[in-house]
Amino acid sequence: MPEGDTIFRTARSMGRALIGRPITAFRSNYPLLTRFHDDTPITGQTVERVESRGKWLLINFSGGATLVTHMLMNGTWHLYRIGERWRKPSRDMRIVLENREYQAVAFTVPVARIYTAQALAREKRIPPPGADVLSEDFDPLTAAARLSACSNEEVGDVLLQQQVLAGVGNVFKSEICFVESINPFCLVSALNGEQVAALIRTSQRLVAANALEDSADGIVTYGGQQRRTTHRSGPGESLWVYGRSGQPCRRCNNAIRHRLQGPDARITYWCETCQPMPDGSEIDGMQG
Ligand SMILES: [Zn+2]
């Protein structure tokens, strides 16, 4: 599953190739998209904006409509110069957007819809413009309010909610909690205001540090600016806790643990010593 920083990089390079240029061709094998295109031709319009909101990629056209795609597990947008050979089979093609120089191709994108501005604003599944930690409109104070409002949920689950904080994926979730010494299984209500603010600051910092990296290789949270060079011995080498179950904590040397968390059973890594449960926040039934 691509994390927010990956989609952000995709949006940025697509923006460079598409914004301001008239679209010369559009095709898709999604009937809803081609029907829209038949009624309101996308060709001849220009792309005004390409943005990521969490795992959603939004391409906004001069006519006011927005093409929205979600990558889920396997979807991806590729950018080619006209005439360049695709690096994926054409049977995986779902959408093609072309201008005179570039061709943007969506492969195996499972969710694709075109929204009017009003319909987009009403769509609850797509995070609002300022929710993405990488967005220029991101406001830490309203993000803190959204996070604090989930008081009865576990911190690790809430960090994954795109409506609260878009752009934070499952790898970042564990990393952010570790960096802030917060137990991912504690309830949001157990956090004080400073801890909430710190979680948001760290989310922005870690996701942004990876988005600025121009290469598409793995996420780096541990090791400063050290870059992935040659073969690595395993996943998690550049991370604090993610993928490091059983290995020594980089701060205290105790073994990193992992457990499935939340309604979607997403894997969470943490250090019991560095990220203790706050006093009195244990769930009664879990003790003894
Ligand atoms: Zn530790």
Side-chain angles (χ1 to χ4, degrees), residues 178 241 248-256 270-275:
F178 180 83
V241 289
C249 171
R250 300 191 194 277
R251 281 185 183 149
C252 74
N253 248 4
N254 284 331
I256 299 296
W270 84 109
C271 170
E272 278 183 316
T273 313
C274 296
Q275 299 164 269

Side-chain angles (χ1 to χ4, degrees), residues 205-238:
R205 183 171 62 79
L206 292 188
V207 179
N210 284 280
L212 293 176
E213 183 87 12
D214 260 334
S215 64
D217 53 11
I219 293 168
V220 179
T221 62
Y222 169 78
Q225 300 309 307
Q226 176 190 322
R227 291 211 29 187
R228 174 180 292 222
T229 47
T230 50
H231 300 296
R232 303 178 74 89
S233 53
E237 203 170 307
S238 56

